[in-house]
Amino acid sequence: GAVVSQHPSRVICKSGTSVKIECRSLDFQATTMFWYRQFPKQSLMLMATSNEGSKATYEQGVEKDKFLINHASLTLSTLTVTSAHPEDSSFYICSARVGGYEAFFGQGTRLTVV
Amino acid sequence: DAKTTQPTSMDCAEGRAANLPCNHSTISGNEYVYWYRQIHSQGPQYIIHGLKNNETNEMASLIITEDRKSSTLILPHATLRDTAVYYCIVGGYQKVTFGTGTKLQVIP
């Protein structure tokens, strides 16, 4: 199947700093990518839809100024958590769909804000 | 997207078939049924999808009732590596919205 790669897999940052997470589609072009957040023992929550060459669409309750999404190319979307705080500590996952059917997910990024 | 209902958890003996049910009574005519699973601390993995007909691939079989209001994912010979949370999702071609899923524990 198609491969979606995330980097880094784990990151620890100090409170108040910003962290960038990359999501790459390795063997296909993705005009749309999706960003999710998952807290411990909870399901994945969709944060935003990332569209190549245009602004991201954020789900209700997600702060667009805090979670900056850039989708500058057909193979790369980035999520920047700005001024991170301990409550932003979570598992962040990106995905892309191929052919409109199955979605492929990255391996996730474990963010810990200390 | 239509809402789905799944049991919170299930156990299955290793080597036996695991049958995971899903109710999606409000599914509309053009919505697909998708199954994904998430092994602990990893990104979700696509398993299978279908519209009306039953489907089978190398991982699993998907049985969809004739009225499309429910479906069953079948793992024919469960192994310990199949222990995961299984998500049944109904939708179209865009965003995938996850419910709470079924935590499947495969027991030796």
mmCIF file with all atom_site columns, all heavy atoms in Angstrom, chain A residues 68-94:
data_model
loop_
_atom_site.group_PDB
_atom_site.id
_atom_site.type_symbol
_atom_site.label_atom_id
_atom_site.label_alt_id
_atom_site.label_comp_id
_atom_site.label_asym_id
_atom_site.label_entity_id
_atom_site.label_seq_id
_atom_site.pdbx_PDB_ins_code
_atom_site.Cartn_x
_atom_site.Cartn_y
_atom_site.Cartn_z
_atom_site.occupancy
_atom_site.B_iso_or_equiv
_atom_site.pdbx_formal_charge
_atom_site.auth_seq_id
_atom_site.auth_comp_id
_atom_site.auth_asym_id
_atom_site.auth_atom_id
_atom_site.pdbx_PDB_model_num
ATOM 1   N N   . LEU A 1 68 ? -0.617 25.544 13.156 1.00 0.00 ? 68 LEU A N   1
ATOM 2   C CA  . LEU A 1 68 ? -0.409 26.060 11.805 1.00 0.00 ? 68 LEU A CA  1
ATOM 3   C C   . LEU A 1 68 ? -0.137 24.914 10.843 1.00 0.00 ? 68 LEU A C   1
ATOM 4   O O   . LEU A 1 68 ? 0.748  24.107 11.069 1.00 0.00 ? 68 LEU A O   1
ATOM 5   C CB  . LEU A 1 68 ? 0.763  27.043 11.785 1.00 0.00 ? 68 LEU A CB  1
ATOM 6   C CG  . LEU A 1 68 ? 0.632  28.263 12.699 1.00 0.00 ? 68 LEU A CG  1
ATOM 7   C CD1 . LEU A 1 68 ? 1.877  29.134 12.583 1.00 0.00 ? 68 LEU A CD1 1
ATOM 8   C CD2 . LEU A 1 68 ? -0.610 29.062 12.370 1.00 0.00 ? 68 LEU A CD2 1
ATOM 9   N N   . ILE A 1 69 ? -0.881 24.881 9.769  1.00 0.00 ? 69 ILE A N   1
ATOM 10  C CA  . ILE A 1 69 ? -0.728 23.826 8.780  1.00 0.00 ? 69 ILE A CA  1
ATOM 11  C C   . ILE A 1 69 ? -0.322 24.439 7.448  1.00 0.00 ? 69 ILE A C   1
ATOM 12  O O   . ILE A 1 69 ? -0.923 25.400 6.991  1.00 0.00 ? 69 ILE A O   1
ATOM 13  C CB  . ILE A 1 69 ? -2.033 23.028 8.625  1.00 0.00 ? 69 ILE A CB  1
ATOM 14  C CG1 . ILE A 1 69 ? -2.306 22.241 9.902  1.00 0.00 ? 69 ILE A CG1 1
ATOM 15  C CG2 . ILE A 1 69 ? -1.970 22.103 7.411  1.00 0.00 ? 69 ILE A CG2 1
ATOM 16  C CD1 . ILE A 1 69 ? -3.647 21.551 9.931  1.00 0.00 ? 69 ILE A CD1 1
ATOM 17  N N   . ASN A 1 70 ? 0.724  23.837 6.877  1.00 0.00 ? 70 ASN A N   1
ATOM 18  C CA  . ASN A 1 70 ? 1.205  24.259 5.577  1.00 0.00 ? 70 ASN A CA  1
ATOM 19  C C   . ASN A 1 70 ? 1.300  23.055 4.661  1.00 0.00 ? 70 ASN A C   1
ATOM 20  O O   . ASN A 1 70 ? 1.868  22.035 5.035  1.00 0.00 ? 70 ASN A O   1
ATOM 21  C CB  . ASN A 1 70 ? 2.578  24.934 5.717  1.00 0.00 ? 70 ASN A CB  1
ATOM 22  C CG  . ASN A 1 70 ? 3.084  25.467 4.392  1.00 0.00 ? 70 ASN A CG  1
ATOM 23  O OD1 . ASN A 1 70 ? 3.638  24.735 3.583  1.00 0.00 ? 70 ASN A OD1 1
ATOM 24  N ND2 . ASN A 1 70 ? 2.869  26.738 4.161  1.00 0.00 ? 70 ASN A ND2 1
ATOM 25  N N   . HIS A 1 71 ? 0.727  23.177 3.476  1.00 0.00 ? 71 HIS A N   1
ATOM 26  C CA  . HIS A 1 71 ? 0.740  22.056 2.524  1.00 0.00 ? 71 HIS A CA  1
ATOM 27  C C   . HIS A 1 71 ? 1.286  22.613 1.215  1.00 0.00 ? 71 HIS A C   1
ATOM 28  O O   . HIS A 1 71 ? 0.547  22.851 0.268  1.00 0.00 ? 71 HIS A O   1
ATOM 29  C CB  . HIS A 1 71 ? -0.688 21.533 2.361  1.00 0.00 ? 71 HIS A CB  1
ATOM 30  C CG  . HIS A 1 71 ? -0.773 20.203 1.682  1.00 0.00 ? 71 HIS A CG  1
ATOM 31  N ND1 . HIS A 1 71 ? -1.831 19.358 1.903  1.00 0.00 ? 71 HIS A ND1 1
ATOM 32  C CD2 . HIS A 1 71 ? 0.041  19.569 0.818  1.00 0.00 ? 71 HIS A CD2 1
ATOM 33  C CE1 . HIS A 1 71 ? -1.667 18.261 1.171  1.00 0.00 ? 71 HIS A CE1 1
ATOM 34  N NE2 . HIS A 1 71 ? -0.540 18.371 0.512  1.00 0.00 ? 71 HIS A NE2 1
ATOM 35  N N   . ALA A 1 72 ? 2.600  22.822 1.211  1.00 0.00 ? 72 ALA A N   1
ATOM 36  C CA  . ALA A 1 72 ? 3.232  23.557 0.115  1.00 0.00 ? 72 ALA A CA  1
ATOM 37  C C   . ALA A 1 72 ? 3.469  22.717 -1.126 1.00 0.00 ? 72 ALA A C   1
ATOM 38  O O   . ALA A 1 72 ? 3.674  23.254 -2.214 1.00 0.00 ? 72 ALA A O   1
ATOM 39  C CB  . ALA A 1 72 ? 4.551  24.150 0.598  1.00 0.00 ? 72 ALA A CB  1
ATOM 40  N N   . SER A 1 73 ? 3.460  21.414 -0.984 1.00 0.00 ? 73 SER A N   1
ATOM 41  C CA  . SER A 1 73 ? 3.681  20.567 -2.156 1.00 0.00 ? 73 SER A CA  1
ATOM 42  C C   . SER A 1 73 ? 2.754  19.363 -2.095 1.00 0.00 ? 73 SER A C   1
ATOM 43  O O   . SER A 1 73 ? 2.072  19.139 -1.103 1.00 0.00 ? 73 SER A O   1
ATOM 44  C CB  . SER A 1 73 ? 5.136  20.098 -2.220 1.00 0.00 ? 73 SER A CB  1
ATOM 45  O OG  . SER A 1 73 ? 5.364  19.036 -1.304 1.00 0.00 ? 73 SER A OG  1
ATOM 46  N N   . LEU A 1 74 ? 2.739  18.610 -3.174 1.00 0.00 ? 74 LEU A N   1
ATOM 47  C CA  . LEU A 1 74 ? 1.840  17.457 -3.250 1.00 0.00 ? 74 LEU A CA  1
ATOM 48  C C   . LEU A 1 74 ? 2.323  16.278 -2.414 1.00 0.00 ? 74 LEU A C   1
ATOM 49  O O   . LEU A 1 74 ? 1.631  15.266 -2.337 1.00 0.00 ? 74 LEU A O   1
ATOM 50  C CB  . LEU A 1 74 ? 1.669  17.019 -4.708 1.00 0.00 ? 74 LEU A CB  1
ATOM 51  C CG  . LEU A 1 74 ? 0.853  17.974 -5.574 1.00 0.00 ? 74 LEU A CG  1
ATOM 52  C CD1 . LEU A 1 74 ? 0.919  17.552 -7.031 1.00 0.00 ? 74 LEU A CD1 1
ATOM 53  C CD2 . LEU A 1 74 ? -0.596 18.023 -5.109 1.00 0.00 ? 74 LEU A CD2 1
ATOM 54  N N   . THR A 1 75 ? 3.494  16.397 -1.816 1.00 0.00 ? 75 THR A N   1
ATOM 55  C CA  . THR A 1 75 ? 4.004  15.290 -1.017 1.00 0.00 ? 75 THR A CA  1
ATOM 56  C C   . THR A 1 75 ? 4.351  15.682 0.413  1.00 0.00 ? 75 THR A C   1
ATOM 57  O O   . THR A 1 75 ? 4.842  14.854 1.170  1.00 0.00 ? 75 THR A O   1
ATOM 58  C CB  . THR A 1 75 ? 5.258  14.679 -1.678 1.00 0.00 ? 75 THR A CB  1
ATOM 59  O OG1 . THR A 1 75 ? 6.262  15.696 -1.786 1.00 0.00 ? 75 THR A OG1 1
ATOM 60  C CG2 . THR A 1 75 ? 4.942  14.104 -3.050 1.00 0.00 ? 75 THR A CG2 1
ATOM 61  N N   . LEU A 1 76 ? 4.092  16.920 0.792  1.00 0.00 ? 76 LEU A N   1
ATOM 62  C CA  . LEU A 1 76 ? 4.497  17.359 2.125  1.00 0.00 ? 76 LEU A CA  1
ATOM 63  C C   . LEU A 1 76 ? 3.468  18.289 2.749  1.00 0.00 ? 76 LEU A C   1
ATOM 64  O O   . LEU A 1 76 ? 3.064  19.288 2.169  1.00 0.00 ? 76 LEU A O   1
ATOM 65  C CB  . LEU A 1 76 ? 5.847  18.068 2.066  1.00 0.00 ? 76 LEU A CB  1
ATOM 66  C CG  . LEU A 1 76 ? 6.333  18.704 3.374  1.00 0.00 ? 76 LEU A CG  1
ATOM 67  C CD1 . LEU A 1 76 ? 6.583  17.630 4.430  1.00 0.00 ? 76 LEU A CD1 1
ATOM 68  C CD2 . LEU A 1 76 ? 7.603  19.523 3.128  1.00 0.00 ? 76 LEU A CD2 1
ATOM 69  N N   . SER A 1 77 ? 3.057  17.922 3.950  1.00 0.00 ? 77 SER A N   1
ATOM 70  C CA  . SER A 1 77 ? 2.238  18.802 4.775  1.00 0.00 ? 77 SER A CA  1
ATOM 71  C C   . SER A 1 77 ? 2.921  18.913 6.129  1.00 0.00 ? 77 SER A C   1
ATOM 72  O O   . SER A 1 77 ? 3.475  17.933 6.622  1.00 0.00 ? 77 SER A O   1
ATOM 73  C CB  . SER A 1 77 ? 0.825  18.238 4.953  1.00 0.00 ? 77 SER A CB  1
ATOM 74  O OG  . SER A 1 77 ? 0.058  19.051 5.829  1.00 0.00 ? 77 SER A OG  1
ATOM 75  N N   . THR A 1 78 ? 2.895  20.099 6.712  1.00 0.00 ? 78 THR A N   1
ATOM 76  C CA  . THR A 1 78 ? 3.503  20.279 8.027  1.00 0.00 ? 78 THR A CA  1
ATOM 77  C C   . THR A 1 78 ? 2.484  20.848 9.007  1.00 0.00 ? 78 THR A C   1
ATOM 78  O O   . THR A 1 78 ? 1.615  21.642 8.635  1.00 0.00 ? 78 THR A O   1
ATOM 79  C CB  . THR A 1 78 ? 4.727  21.213 7.976  1.00 0.00 ? 78 THR A CB  1
ATOM 80  O OG1 . THR A 1 78 ? 4.309  22.500 7.504  1.00 0.00 ? 78 THR A OG1 1
ATOM 81  C CG2 . THR A 1 78 ? 5.802  20.644 7.069  1.00 0.00 ? 78 THR A CG2 1
ATOM 82  N N   . LEU A 1 79 ? 2.623  20.397 10.250 1.00 0.00 ? 79 LEU A N   1
ATOM 83  C CA  . LEU A 1 79 ? 1.814  20.911 11.358 1.00 0.00 ? 79 LEU A CA  1
ATOM 84  C C   . LEU A 1 79 ? 2.768  21.529 12.362 1.00 0.00 ? 79 LEU A C   1
ATOM 85  O O   . LEU A 1 79 ? 3.684  20.853 12.832 1.00 0.00 ? 79 LEU A O   1
ATOM 86  C CB  . LEU A 1 79 ? 1.026  19.776 12.012 1.00 0.00 ? 79 LEU A CB  1
ATOM 87  C CG  . LEU A 1 79 ? 0.345  20.095 13.340 1.00 0.00 ? 79 LEU A CG  1
ATOM 88  C CD1 . LEU A 1 79 ? -0.792 21.088 13.147 1.00 0.00 ? 79 LEU A CD1 1
ATOM 89  C CD2 . LEU A 1 79 ? -0.185 18.812 14.004 1.00 0.00 ? 79 LEU A CD2 1
ATOM 90  N N   . THR A 1 80 ? 2.587  22.809 12.653 1.00 0.00 ? 80 THR A N   1
ATOM 91  C CA  . THR A 1 80 ? 3.407  23.486 13.652 1.00 0.00 ? 80 THR A CA  1
ATOM 92  C C   . THR A 1 80 ? 2.536  23.810 14.857 1.00 0.00 ? 80 THR A C   1
ATOM 93  O O   . THR A 1 80 ? 1.520  24.504 14.721 1.00 0.00 ? 80 THR A O   1
ATOM 94  C CB  . THR A 1 80 ? 4.026  24.771 13.087 1.00 0.00 ? 80 THR A CB  1
ATOM 95  O OG1 . THR A 1 80 ? 4.836  24.444 11.953 1.00 0.00 ? 80 THR A OG1 1
ATOM 96  C CG2 . THR A 1 80 ? 4.896  25.448 14.133 1.00 0.00 ? 80 THR A CG2 1
ATOM 97  N N   . VAL A 1 81 ? 2.947  23.266 15.989 1.00 0.00 ? 81 VAL A N   1
ATOM 98  C CA  . VAL A 1 81 ? 2.269  23.582 17.245 1.00 0.00 ? 81 VAL A CA  1
ATOM 99  C C   . VAL A 1 81 ? 2.998  24.789 17.826 1.00 0.00 ? 81 VAL A C   1
ATOM 100 O O   . VAL A 1 81 ? 4.166  24.688 18.223 1.00 0.00 ? 81 VAL A O   1
ATOM 101 C CB  . VAL A 1 81 ? 2.309  22.397 18.216 1.00 0.00 ? 81 VAL A CB  1
ATOM 102 C CG1 . VAL A 1 81 ? 1.536  22.735 19.491 1.00 0.00 ? 81 VAL A CG1 1
ATOM 103 C CG2 . VAL A 1 81 ? 1.745  21.145 17.560 1.00 0.00 ? 81 VAL A CG2 1
ATOM 104 N N   . THR A 1 82 ? 2.355  25.931 17.847 1.00 0.00 ? 82 THR A N   1
ATOM 105 C CA  . THR A 1 82 ? 3.003  27.155 18.296 1.00 0.00 ? 82 THR A CA  1
ATOM 106 C C   . THR A 1 82 ? 2.782  27.372 19.792 1.00 0.00 ? 82 THR A C   1
ATOM 107 O O   . THR A 1 82 ? 1.737  27.002 20.341 1.00 0.00 ? 82 THR A O   1
ATOM 108 C CB  . THR A 1 82 ? 2.464  28.372 17.533 1.00 0.00 ? 82 THR A CB  1
ATOM 109 O OG1 . THR A 1 82 ? 1.064  28.507 17.811 1.00 0.00 ? 82 THR A OG1 1
ATOM 110 C CG2 . THR A 1 82 ? 2.653  28.204 16.029 1.00 0.00 ? 82 THR A CG2 1
ATOM 111 N N   . SER A 1 83 ? 3.784  27.938 20.426 1.00 0.00 ? 83 SER A N   1
ATOM 112 C CA  . SER A 1 83 ? 3.710  28.226 21.871 1.00 0.00 ? 83 SER A CA  1
ATOM 113 C C   . SER A 1 83 ? 3.099  27.039 22.611 1.00 0.00 ? 83 SER A C   1
ATOM 114 O O   . SER A 1 83 ? 2.052  27.151 23.271 1.00 0.00 ? 83 SER A O   1
ATOM 115 C CB  . SER A 1 83 ? 2.881  29.494 22.104 1.00 0.00 ? 83 SER A CB  1
ATOM 116 O OG  . SER A 1 83 ? 2.920  29.864 23.472 1.00 0.00 ? 83 SER A OG  1
ATOM 117 N N   . ALA A 1 84 ? 3.757  25.918 22.483 1.00 0.00 ? 84 ALA A N   1
ATOM 118 C CA  . ALA A 1 84 ? 3.215  24.673 23.044 1.00 0.00 ? 84 ALA A CA  1
ATOM 119 C C   . ALA A 1 84 ? 3.148  24.726 24.564 1.00 0.00 ? 84 ALA A C   1
ATOM 120 O O   . ALA A 1 84 ? 4.016  25.315 25.230 1.00 0.00 ? 84 ALA A O   1
ATOM 121 C CB  . ALA A 1 84 ? 4.077  23.497 22.598 1.00 0.00 ? 84 ALA A CB  1
ATOM 122 N N   . HIS A 1 85 ? 2.126  24.103 25.111 1.00 0.00 ? 85 HIS A N   1
ATOM 123 C CA  . HIS A 1 85 ? 1.944  23.991 26.549 1.00 0.00 ? 85 HIS A CA  1
ATOM 124 C C   . HIS A 1 85 ? 1.714  22.525 26.899 1.00 0.00 ? 85 HIS A C   1
ATOM 125 O O   . HIS A 1 85 ? 1.380  21.717 26.020 1.00 0.00 ? 85 HIS A O   1
ATOM 126 C CB  . HIS A 1 85 ? 0.787  24.863 26.998 1.00 0.00 ? 85 HIS A CB  1
ATOM 127 C CG  . HIS A 1 85 ? 1.059  26.328 26.872 1.00 0.00 ? 85 HIS A CG  1
ATOM 128 N ND1 . HIS A 1 85 ? 1.868  27.002 27.763 1.00 0.00 ? 85 HIS A ND1 1
ATOM 129 C CD2 . HIS A 1 85 ? 0.682  27.238 25.949 1.00 0.00 ? 85 HIS A CD2 1
ATOM 130 C CE1 . HIS A 1 85 ? 1.955  28.277 27.395 1.00 0.00 ? 85 HIS A CE1 1
ATOM 131 N NE2 . HIS A 1 85 ? 1.243  28.440 26.293 1.00 0.00 ? 85 HIS A NE2 1
ATOM 132 N N   . PRO A 1 86 ? 1.864  22.167 28.149 1.00 0.00 ? 86 PRO A N   1
ATOM 133 C CA  . PRO A 1 86 ? 1.711  20.751 28.531 1.00 0.00 ? 86 PRO A CA  1
ATOM 134 C C   . PRO A 1 86 ? 0.400  20.127 28.061 1.00 0.00 ? 86 PRO A C   1
ATOM 135 O O   . PRO A 1 86 ? 0.382  18.943 27.713 1.00 0.00 ? 86 PRO A O   1
ATOM 136 C CB  . PRO A 1 86 ? 1.796  20.804 30.054 1.00 0.00 ? 86 PRO A CB  1
ATOM 137 C CG  . PRO A 1 86 ? 2.715  21.957 30.327 1.00 0.00 ? 86 PRO A CG  1
ATOM 138 C CD  . PRO A 1 86 ? 2.357  22.987 29.276 1.00 0.00 ? 86 PRO A CD  1
ATOM 139 N N   . GLU A 1 87 ? -0.660 20.897 27.984 1.00 0.00 ? 87 GLU A N   1
ATOM 140 C CA  . GLU A 1 87 ? -1.941 20.327 27.540 1.00 0.00 ? 87 GLU A CA  1
ATOM 141 C C   . GLU A 1 87 ? -1.954 19.980 26.051 1.00 0.00 ? 87 GLU A C   1
ATOM 142 O O   . GLU A 1 87 ? -2.886 19.316 25.565 1.00 0.00 ? 87 GLU A O   1
ATOM 143 C CB  . GLU A 1 87 ? -3.101 21.268 27.862 1.00 0.00 ? 87 GLU A CB  1
ATOM 144 C CG  . GLU A 1 87 ? -2.971 22.657 27.272 1.00 0.00 ? 87 GLU A CG  1
ATOM 145 C CD  . GLU A 1 87 ? -2.371 23.654 28.248 1.00 0.00 ? 87 GLU A CD  1
ATOM 146 O OE1 . GLU A 1 87 ? -1.532 23.249 29.088 1.00 0.00 ? 87 GLU A OE1 1
ATOM 147 O OE2 . GLU A 1 87 ? -2.716 24.857 28.147 1.00 0.00 ? 87 GLU A OE2 1
ATOM 148 N N   . ASP A 1 88 ? -0.930 20.433 25.322 1.00 0.00 ? 88 ASP A N   1
ATOM 149 C CA  . ASP A 1 88 ? -0.807 20.075 23.900 1.00 0.00 ? 88 ASP A CA  1
ATOM 150 C C   . ASP A 1 88 ? -0.093 18.738 23.726 1.00 0.00 ? 88 ASP A C   1
ATOM 151 O O   . ASP A 1 88 ? 0.001  18.227 22.600 1.00 0.00 ? 88 ASP A O   1
ATOM 152 C CB  . ASP A 1 88 ? -0.035 21.162 23.134 1.00 0.00 ? 88 ASP A CB  1
ATOM 153 C CG  . ASP A 1 88 ? -0.738 22.499 23.155 1.00 0.00 ? 88 ASP A CG  1
ATOM 154 O OD1 . ASP A 1 88 ? -1.991 22.508 23.070 1.00 0.00 ? 88 ASP A OD1 1
ATOM 155 O OD2 . ASP A 1 88 ? -0.053 23.531 23.281 1.00 0.00 ? 88 ASP A OD2 1
ATOM 156 N N   . SER A 1 89 ? 0.411  18.200 24.813 1.00 0.00 ? 89 SER A N   1
ATOM 157 C CA  . SER A 1 89 ? 1.064  16.890 24.743 1.00 0.00 ? 89 SER A CA  1
ATOM 158 C C   . SER A 1 89 ? 0.058  15.868 24.255 1.00 0.00 ? 89 SER A C   1
ATOM 159 O O   . SER A 1 89 ? -1.029 15.718 24.825 1.00 0.00 ? 89 SER A O   1
ATOM 160 C CB  . SER A 1 89 ? 1.597  16.479 26.124 1.00 0.00 ? 89 SER A CB  1
ATOM 161 O OG  . SER A 1 89 ? 2.576  17.385 26.569 1.00 0.00 ? 89 SER A OG  1
ATOM 162 N N   . SER A 1 90 ? 0.402  15.166 23.201 1.00 0.00 ? 90 SER A N   1
ATOM 163 C CA  . SER A 1 90 ? -0.544 14.242 22.577 1.00 0.00 ? 90 SER A CA  1
ATOM 164 C C   . SER A 1 90 ? 0.174  13.449 21.496 1.00 0.00 ? 90 SER A C   1
ATOM 165 O O   . SER A 1 90 ? 1.361  13.643 21.244 1.00 0.00 ? 90 SER A O   1
ATOM 166 C CB  . SER A 1 90 ? -1.713 15.029 21.968 1.00 0.00 ? 90 SER A CB  1
ATOM 167 O OG  . SER A 1 90 ? -2.747 14.168 21.539 1.00 0.00 ? 90 SER A OG  1
ATOM 168 N N   . PHE A 1 91 ? -0.585 12.577 20.869 1.00 0.00 ? 91 PHE A N   1
ATOM 169 C CA  . PHE A 1 91 ? -0.102 11.780 19.732 1.00 0.00 ? 91 PHE A CA  1
ATOM 170 C C   . PHE A 1 91 ? -0.727 12.397 18.480 1.00 0.00 ? 91 PHE A C   1
ATOM 171 O O   . PHE A 1 91 ? -1.955 12.444 18.365 1.00 0.00 ? 91 PHE A O   1
ATOM 172 C CB  . PHE A 1 91 ? -0.549 10.328 19.928 1.00 0.00 ? 91 PHE A CB  1
ATOM 173 C CG  . PHE A 1 91 ? 0.085  9.329  19.007 1.00 0.00 ? 91 PHE A CG  1
ATOM 174 C CD1 . PHE A 1 91 ? 1.459  9.282  18.832 1.00 0.00 ? 91 PHE A CD1 1
ATOM 175 C CD2 . PHE A 1 91 ? -0.692 8.394  18.333 1.00 0.00 ? 91 PHE A CD2 1
ATOM 176 C CE1 . PHE A 1 91 ? 2.045  8.335  18.004 1.00 0.00 ? 91 PHE A CE1 1
ATOM 177 C CE2 . PHE A 1 91 ? -0.110 7.445  17.497 1.00 0.00 ? 91 PHE A CE2 1
ATOM 178 C CZ  . PHE A 1 91 ? 1.253  7.420  17.342 1.00 0.00 ? 91 PHE A CZ  1
ATOM 179 N N   . TYR A 1 92 ? 0.112  12.917 17.588 1.00 0.00 ? 92 TYR A N   1
ATOM 180 C CA  . TYR A 1 92 ? -0.377 13.579 16.381 1.00 0.00 ? 92 TYR A CA  1
ATOM 181 C C   . TYR A 1 92 ? -0.145 12.657 15.189 1.00 0.00 ? 92 TYR A C   1
ATOM 182 O O   . TYR A 1 92 ? 0.941  12.116 15.009 1.00 0.00 ? 92 TYR A O   1
ATOM 183 C CB  . TYR A 1 92 ? 0.327  14.924 16.186 1.00 0.00 ? 92 TYR A CB  1
ATOM 184 C CG  . TYR A 1 92 ? -0.037 15.931 17.247 1.00 0.00 ? 92 TYR A CG  1
ATOM 185 C CD1 . TYR A 1 92 ? 0.644  15.980 18.456 1.00 0.00 ? 92 TYR A CD1 1
ATOM 186 C CD2 . TYR A 1 92 ? -1.083 16.826 17.037 1.00 0.00 ? 92 TYR A CD2 1
ATOM 187 C CE1 . TYR A 1 92 ? 0.291  16.898 19.436 1.00 0.00 ? 92 TYR A CE1 1
ATOM 188 C CE2 . TYR A 1 92 ? -1.445 17.752 18.008 1.00 0.00 ? 92 TYR A CE2 1
ATOM 189 C CZ  . TYR A 1 92 ? -0.748 17.779 19.203 1.00 0.00 ? 92 TYR A CZ  1
ATOM 190 O OH  . TYR A 1 92 ? -1.116 18.687 20.176 1.00 0.00 ? 92 TYR A OH  1
ATOM 191 N N   . ILE A 1 93 ? -1.180 12.515 14.373 1.00 0.00 ? 93 ILE A N   1
ATOM 192 C CA  . ILE A 1 93 ? -1.126 11.569 13.258 1.00 0.00 ? 93 ILE A CA  1
ATOM 193 C C   . ILE A 1 93 ? -1.640 12.246 11.993 1.00 0.00 ? 93 ILE A C   1
ATOM 194 O O   . ILE A 1 93 ? -2.641 12.971 12.042 1.00 0.00 ? 93 ILE A O   1
ATOM 195 C CB  . ILE A 1 93 ? -2.002 10.330 13.544 1.00 0.00 ? 93 ILE A CB  1
ATOM 196 C CG1 . ILE A 1 93 ? -1.638 9.707  14.884 1.00 0.00 ? 93 ILE A CG1 1
ATOM 197 C CG2 . ILE A 1 93 ? -1.872 9.297  12.428 1.00 0.00 ? 93 ILE A CG2 1
ATOM 198 C CD1 . ILE A 1 93 ? -2.663 8.708  15.380 1.00 0.00 ? 93 ILE A CD1 1
ATOM 199 N N   . CYS A 1 94 ? -0.962 12.004 10.889 1.00 0.00 ? 94 CYS A N   1
ATOM 200 C CA  . CYS A 1 94 ? -1.434 12.539 9.615  1.00 0.00 ? 94 CYS A CA  1
ATOM 201 C C   . CYS A 1 94 ? -1.890 11.384 8.726  1.00 0.00 ? 94 CYS A C   1
ATOM 202 O O   . CYS A 1 94 ? -1.524 10.226 8.946  1.00 0.00 ? 94 CYS A O   1
ATOM 203 C CB  . CYS A 1 94 ? -0.363 13.351 8.914  1.00 0.00 ? 94 CYS A CB  1
ATOM 204 S SG  . CYS A 1 94 ? 1.024  12.391 8.310  1.00 0.00 ? 94 CYS A SG  1
#
